[in-house]
Amino acid sequence: MLRILSIIAAVFLVLLFGGLMAGGYMIWRLNEDLPDYTKLANYEPPVMTRVHAGDGELIGEFARERRLYVPISAIPPRLVDAFLAAEDKNFYSHGGVDAMGIVRAVLDNVVNIMQDRRLVGASTITQQVAKNFLLSSDVTLDRKLKEALIAIRLEQAFSKDRILELYLNEIYLGIGSYGVAAAALNYFGKPLDELTVAEAAYLATLPKGPNNYHPYRHRERALARRNWVISRMEEERFITNYEAAEARAADLEVSLRRRGVQIRDASYFVEQVRRELIGMYGEEKLYEGGLSVRTTIDTKLQETVSRELRAGLIAYDRRHGWRGPVKQLQPGENWQQALAAMTVPADLEPWTLATVLEVEADGVTVGLRPQRLEDASFSTEIEKARIPLSAMTWARETVNRIYLGPEVKSPSDVVAVGDVVWVAPVFEDKKKDPVHYALMQVPEVNGSALAMDPHTGRVLAMQGGFSFGLSEFNRAVQALRQPGSAFKPFVYAAALDKGFTPSSLVLDAPFVLDQGGDLGLWKPENYEKNFNGPSTLRFGIEHSRNLMTVRLAQYVGPQTVSNYARRFGITDDMPPVLSMALGAGETTLMRIVGAYSILDNGGKRVTPTLIDRVQDRFGRTIYKKDDRGCPACNESWEEAKERAKGGEVMPPELPDNREQVENPQTAYQMVSMLEGVVQRGTGSAAKAVGVPLAGKTGTTNDNRDAWFVGFSPNLAAGVFVGFDDPLPLGRAETGGRAAAPVFAAIMKDAVGGKPAIPFRVPPGITLVKVNHKTGRLANGEGAGIILEAFKEGTEPRVEVTAPSVGLFGNVPDPADIYSPGTDDAVPVEGAVLDGGAPLRPEDHDGMDLSGAPDGDPLAPGAASDNGETQPQDNPFIRPGTDGADRGSVPDGGVPTDRIPGAGGEEPDRSSGGYSSGGEIGSGTGGLY
């Protein structure tokens, strides 16, 4: 018996020794294959980039993993306690592997196997760190052994707080949230230090499986698991019995935070910032680098710009009639399911889709698209609304895009049962339910609007279209369009630099240029097809006279015009041909607003910018737009007093390192003339704002592009309206009608009602009273008398020494205008520039008067705003009376330019103008 026991003992010892040897070998082999855990000492997890407005408000986020890394010292003890109670109550006492936890898990799993339930693990937080950072999630013995070995080594290499910090910042907690800080924001919209016990407990339930405890899809299960965590916290004495009872009684209230752009109206701006950041740092740095980006946007002004652009596009769209429903449902089709299947962009809210259910004499009843619930499903509740006839009378049928059909007398004239249409609520009190709904229509036309600080180039607001959800194409920075007459101020600036004054006279009369070869004659026209004879530069810019502009461009030289376009940043390579003076080149809204800003700020170059500063994840500034040094900005008050040496303490002066690209006196003269455009000319729609404003309209051939670009002393803004194709906007849809009202509405909200700030007059300018139409010196006050801006030494004189070259419009001999061989030749004050004077040799450099832009310059229907010959409608006659075949006017219908407000009032013209009568031919007619 003893011998048998000895044999058994020997066998047991051999097996034990063999097992130990095998285990030791396995551990040795696993140790050889363990990943390098020391890299966790310098671990930088992917962190999302956050984009902020100029006032610090969060406007956007970019990330593959929505993570905010916070140190353990910034994580509240209550949240730490919740995770320890749920995941690893012995965390601060074990050495990486919890032996008692393993025994407990083994016993629990015996029961789970018998009941066919999922097995539970015994991993500590340290083991989870090892798995999440260094290993895979494979359920194998080999992986579990490696996990335990790495956990032990981590405990030896790092402090408990460092391990806990890694865990709480790395763990995935659902809805794209990595780490507790991001989860607190995404679930509850709160920072960590504002979480309640119940909220902290809910976050602690999520590591076991976020989708299993989704707050909407599995609400009851989530509540049960949260209350279990609260009980565990109570058992571990992390909270009192009262706090536990209060937390268990609390409802699970979450508010899931949207991804990406956080402000609806800033989508175009944020997307452009994203493009620029990728260009600066690349995608990996953007989406994982944890950058903090401070942008230039003013969120209040952005809201205004986006709202007014949409209103302007809707107003244009309604002037051109109703195009019909979005779709027509089939008989018997479930309208709720049909509407739920259709997409409604978030930035169109509160607009929604609706189905016409009943059509009555005084209105229609519609069924609204079901509400989307927070769990992403649709409500089953049926919502109906009423659209009165008064909210749909605008929807007159459009006929050939030229006419409007008869007035709407009944809802059946517009819609029928089964039509799917856009609707929007109408409120009398925003705090109450809508009184009714209104019929809406998404405009086919599109556009952009942009506001900028003219002194720094900081873009304060940008709206690149009607809806980012419908089209992400940013028409403020990506659309290259012809500016038309909005380019003219830079031709006039070149003329002022050549010696002209605002009162210099230029002939407004027919102009014909033989282009040579087979190109034929180039014969530009004024928009109104009439002429005013000798007219001042001020009159020419205020009323956008094309022929005067062409003559000025011929005098200064097309190469000079091209140079000015490049100098002001409008375009980099403008062909040196005369037609470019009328805005035939292409540019973007952002570039031309930047160019107008140079005029506004006294001739200093500004570069449009969207980003002020970028910081890395550690708060270090890695980019700063304003890199001027200011040592005195950080000095103490005592140091400032010492610097003042007993005098008045003044703020530190920052150096002005902006390049001077235009003479300050010329810049102010242009500002004064553009102010006249608003007061008396084509931009009169902006006059109602009631503060000093300057600007210029722009319209291209066939009204394909409509612009208004202008500014106050401290704010520049521009508006563009046009089809993406581009198609003609329609008769009378000029910049003064389609774009200027949008500019006016933006400025009214931004600067209207505030103390009026006059434009700054630089040294070297003399203000002289003149008649604004004739340029003659004036005495006293009265209608038509203005203070004209002259450079010192160029003021008009009372005495006239040469009768043939008078102040008031006598035609001089060309030799009096320009003497060949002189370097300082300038037009004689008061002389009429008639196009006959020879150009100076330097003005011929690089220009080609014999050619025009590529394509047939005389082809009918050409799209360019360059004076090329093509049919042009007179906006002041009825369609059809000029011989063009446009079909008949519908019964009860009217041309679109005859509806209220169409075309506006024709600007006041000087007496003596005469009509072309069509004998000069057509040309650049639509530049207004």
Side-chain angles (χ1 to χ4, degrees):
M1 184 65 182
L2 182 59
R3 184 177 180 184
I4 294 174
L5 292 175
S6 300
I7 293 173
I8 293 174
V11 171
F12 175 77
L13 290 173
V14 168
L15 292 175
L16 178 62
F17 180 75
L20 291 173
M21 291 292 292
Y25 173 76
M26 181 177 291
I27 292 174
W28 174 81
R29 184 176 61 80
L30 291 174
N31 268 319
E32 291 295 313
D33 295 336
L34 290 180
D36 182 14
Y37 63 89
T38 59
K39 64 183 181 181
L40 295 183
N42 299 314
Y43 175 66
E44 294 183 1
V47 177
M48 66 180 167
T49 290
R50 311 191 85 200
V51 182
H52 301 267
D55 61 0
E57 183 179 359
L58 180 68
I59 61 173
E61 296 172 338
F62 303 117
R64 294 190 179 98
E65 298 179 0
R66 300 170 78 187
R67 177 184 287 107
L68 294 173
Y69 197 94
V70 291
I72 190 65
S73 59
I75 300 176
R78 178 166 292 172
L79 184 63
V80 172
D81 292 341
F83 275 85
L84 294 182
E87 295 294 314
D88 190 357
K89 68 174 184 177
N90 297 323
F91 173 73
Y92 278 100
S93 60
H94 63 64
V97 177
D98 187 0
M100 292 299 298
I102 293 174
V103 172
R104 186 169 54 251
V106 169
L107 296 176
D108 289 341
N109 284 332
V110 170
V111 177
N112 289 339
I113 291 173
M114 295 174 61
Q115 297 180 355
D116 196 25
R117 292 165 59 183
R118 184 178 180 274
L119 301 183
V120 299
S123 295
T124 63
I125 284 178
T126 311
Q127 288 176 271
Q128 293 184 55
V129 169
K131 181 187 72 172
N132 293 337
F133 283 87
L134 304 172
L135 299 171
S136 68
S137 297
D138 298 337
V139 184
T140 64
L141 178 61
D142 186 73
R143 197 269 296 168
K144 290 297 290 183
L145 289 174
K146 286 184 178 180
E147 179 185 293
L149 291 173
I150 294 174
I152 294 171
R153 293 192 176 190
L154 287 176
E155 291 280 349
Q156 296 171 351
F158 301 107
S159 68
K160 288 284 188 180
D161 283 348
R162 173 59 176 167
I163 294 171
L164 191 58
E165 178 181 301
L166 292 172
Y167 172 76
L168 293 176
N169 282 285
E170 177 68 16
I171 192 71
Y172 178 65
L173 298 173
I175 62 170
S177 304
Y178 289 81
V180 293
L185 284 174
N186 295 336
Y187 281 104
F188 303 111
K190 294 181 177 181
L192 293 175
D193 57 357
E194 294 182 10
L195 293 176
T196 65
V197 172
E199 290 165 346
Y202 176 70
L203 295 185
T205 70
L206 298 173
K208 291 300 183 184
N211 289 332
N212 297 332
Y213 305 106
H214 193 279
Y216 298 120
R217 291 194 289 268
H218 305 293
R219 187 174 185 82
E220 295 304 319
R221 189 188 304 169
L223 277 170
R225 178 70 180 179
R226 183 205 68 176
N227 292 341
W228 176 84
V229 174
I230 293 172
S231 298
R232 289 287 302 118
M233 295 175 70
E234 183 183 14
E235 291 174 13
E236 298 298 328
R237 300 184 181 277
F238 293 146
I239 56 177
T240 65
N241 296 339
Y242 176 79
E243 288 175 321
E246 186 179 41
R248 279 191 291 264
D251 193 14
L252 181 54
E253 296 180 358
V254 299
S255 179
L256 300 184
R257 191 161 154 270
R258 63 188 297 179
R259 293 170 178 260
V261 179
Q262 300 299 312
I263 296 179
R264 181 188 68 175
D265 295 323
S267 297
Y268 284 103
F269 186 95
V270 173
E271 172 59 16
Q272 184 61 24
V273 169
R274 186 191 70 85
R275 293 192 188 104
E276 293 191 9
L277 290 172
I278 288 179
M280 295 166 67
Y281 302 110
E283 286 194 17
E284 182 177 352
K285 189 77 169 178
L286 171 64
Y287 290 108
E288 300 180 2
L291 303 177
S292 176
V293 183
R294 180 62 65 94
T295 67
T296 60
I297 191 173
D298 179 324
T299 54
K300 183 178 183 298
L301 183 58
Q302 175 65 42
E303 182 181 351
T304 296
V305 167
S306 61
R307 181 185 67 244
E308 299 304 337
L309 176 64
R310 288 193 184 109
L313 296 177
I314 291 171
Y316 166 89
D317 190 63
R318 290 189 172 188
R319 289 197 295 269
H320 294 269
W322 171 248
R323 298 187 303 276
V326 176
K327 67 178 294 186
Q328 174 75 36
L329 299 184
Q330 297 300 317
E333 186 175 359
N334 187 307
W335 63 267
Q336 285 182 289
Q337 293 179 1
L339 294 180
M342 300 175 70
T343 301
V344 176
D347 60 351
L348 280 186
E349 294 177 355
W351 286 27
T352 188
L353 290 168
T355 301
V356 177
L357 302 179
E358 296 180 49
V359 179
E360 300 170 349
D362 60 346
V364 299
T365 300
V366 296
L368 302 179
R369 183 174 183 261
Q371 293 284 339
R372 185 181 288 274
L373 304 177
E374 291 182 314
D375 64 354
S377 65
F378 286 95
S379 171
T380 58
E381 181 181 353
I382 296 177
E383 289 189 71
K384 295 183 180 181
R386 181 79 175 168
I387 303 178
L389 176 61
S390 60
M392 51 197 308
T393 53
W394 66 267
R396 300 168 70 172
E397 181 184 6
T398 180
V399 181
N400 297 330
R401 303 177 65 90
I402 297 175
Y403 305 104
L404 290 179
E407 293 184 3
V408 174
K409 300 293 182 63
S410 168
S412 60
D413 296 338
V414 181
V415 296
V417 173
D419 283 352
V420 175
V421 296
W422 287 100
V423 298
V426 176
F427 296 92
E428 289 183 353
D429 185 343
K430 288 289 186 180
K431 297 180 180 179
K432 298 180 180 179
D433 293 336
V435 293
H436 60 78
Y437 275 68
L439 180 68
M440 308 301 291
Q441 179 173 251
V442 174
E444 282 188 330
V445 74
N446 228 306
S448 57
L450 184 143
M452 180 185 299
D453 183 331
H455 305 287
T456 63
R458 299 174 72 247
V459 176
L460 303 175
M462 174 199 295
Q463 185 70 12
F466 181 78
S467 165
F468 186 81
L470 293 175
S471 171
E472 296 183 10
F473 182 65
N474 190 335
R475 294 155 191 84
V477 296
Q478 293 178 293
L480 286 170
R481 303 296 288 252
Q482 295 173 336
S485 296
F487 178 73
K488 288 179 182 175
F490 306 98
V491 179
Y492 280 73
L496 292 172
D497 283 337
K498 292 286 187 179
F500 284 78
T501 75
S503 291
S504 296
L505 299 180
V506 177
L507 190 63
D508 182 14
F511 181 97
V512 180
L513 178 69
D514 187 351
Q515 300 181 94
D518 298 330
L519 297 177
L521 301 177
W522 181 58
K523 299 177 286 188
E525 287 185 343
N526 288 325
Y527 181 83
E528 301 83 353
K529 301 182 190 292
N530 65 0
F531 312 105
N532 288 286
S535 302
T536 64
L537 261 69
R538 173 175 288 277
F539 179 86
I541 194 71
E542 287 183 358
H543 299 288
S544 202
R545 307 300 286 177
N546 295 337
L547 297 172
M548 294 176 64
T549 305
V550 171
R551 283 189 165 84
L552 284 175
Q554 186 185 41
Y555 180 82
V556 303
Q559 184 61 52
T560 299
V561 174
S562 176
N563 293 342
Y564 269 64
R566 182 172 58 254
R567 181 194 300 182
F568 280 86
I570 298 172
T571 184
D572 298 327
D573 191 19
M574 176 181 286
V577 293
L578 280 180
S579 58
M580 293 295 157
L582 300 179
E586 292 182 332
T587 188
T588 66
L589 179 64
M590 178 181 282
R591 296 189 81 168
I592 201 164
V593 173
Y596 273 68
S597 295
I598 293 175
L599 297 176
D600 191 9
N601 69 31
K604 298 293 184 69
R605 182 183 303 283
V606 293
T607 302
T609 181
L610 281 71
I611 300 174
D612 278 338
R613 185 191 68 208
V614 180
Q615 294 174 301
D616 64 14
R617 66 171 68 211
F618 302 109
R620 298 178 299 219
T621 299
I622 57 178
Y623 169 81
K624 190 177 181 182
K625 176 61 179 178
D626 189 349
D627 57 358
R628 292 176 294 175
C630 183
C633 290
N634 296 322
E635 65 185 6
S636 66
W637 179 252
E638 288 72 20
E639 292 171 332
K641 289 194 294 184
E642 183 178 348
R643 174 169 54 85
K645 297 180 179 179
E648 184 180 358
V649 176
M650 300 297 293
E653 291 188 8
L654 290 172
D656 187 352
N657 54 11
R658 295 173 296 172
E659 178 188 359
Q660 189 78 44
V661 297
E662 180 55 282
N663 183 295
Q665 291 75 34
T666 297
Y668 178 74
Q669 286 180 308
M670 282 311 310
V671 169
S672 176
M673 293 163 71
L674 293 174
E675 198 173 1
V677 173
V678 173
Q679 293 298 318
R680 293 172 294 276
T682 59
S684 58
K687 184 177 179 180
V689 177
V691 299
L693 294 177
K696 184 69 184 75
T697 53
T699 313
T700 59
N701 279 351
D702 289 337
N703 297 352
R704 295 175 186 271
D705 307 89
W707 301 74
F708 192 93
V709 186
F711 47 82
S712 70
N714 294 316
L715 181 65
V719 178
F720 159 75
V721 176
F723 290 98
D724 290 340
D725 290 342
L727 299 171
L729 289 168
R731 296 168 54 81
E733 293 292 354
T734 62
R737 186 188 187 202
V742 179
F743 170 87
I746 292 171
M747 283 300 193
K748 185 174 183 179
D749 191 82
V751 299
K754 299 178 181 178
I757 301 175
F759 289 101
R760 301 164 182 83
V761 182
I765 285 289
T766 301
L767 299 177
V768 179
K769 288 183 180 181
V770 301
N771 183 292
H772 82 271
K773 289 185 178 180
T774 66
R776 295 174 182 267
L777 287 170
N779 294 320
E781 306 292 340
I785 307 302
I786 64 170
L787 283 174
E788 189 59 271
F790 294 91
K791 297 174 184 175
E792 290 182 355
T794 67
E795 304 90 339
R797 302 285 184 252
V798 175
E799 295 82 6
V800 180
T801 57
S804 63
V805 187
L807 284 171
F808 312 125
N810 298 323
V811 180
D813 185 273
D816 294 329
I817 297 180
Y818 173 65
S819 300
T822 62
D823 294 331
D824 56 352
V826 296
V828 177
E829 178 60 48
V832 179
L833 182 61
D834 65 356
L839 299 177
R840 293 183 287 187
E842 61 267 27
D843 292 332
H844 287 280
D845 292 343
M847 74 179 181
D848 182 11
L849 289 179
S850 65
D854 293 339
D856 182 358
L858 304 179
S864 63
D865 173 15
N866 56 14
E868 299 164 357
T869 301
Q870 56 181 301
Q872 180 64 40
D873 301 331
N874 187 333
F876 302 108
I877 62 174
R878 283 177 63 87
T881 60
D882 59 352
D885 182 13
R886 297 184 178 82
S888 60
V889 180
D891 291 339
V894 295
T896 57
D897 62 333
R898 296 284 298 276
I899 62 178
E905 181 181 353
E906 182 181 1
D908 182 35
R909 300 292 190 266
S910 303
S911 60
Y914 51 94
S915 172
S916 67
E919 57 192 53
I920 298 301
S922 60
T924 306
L927 307 177
Y928 196 50

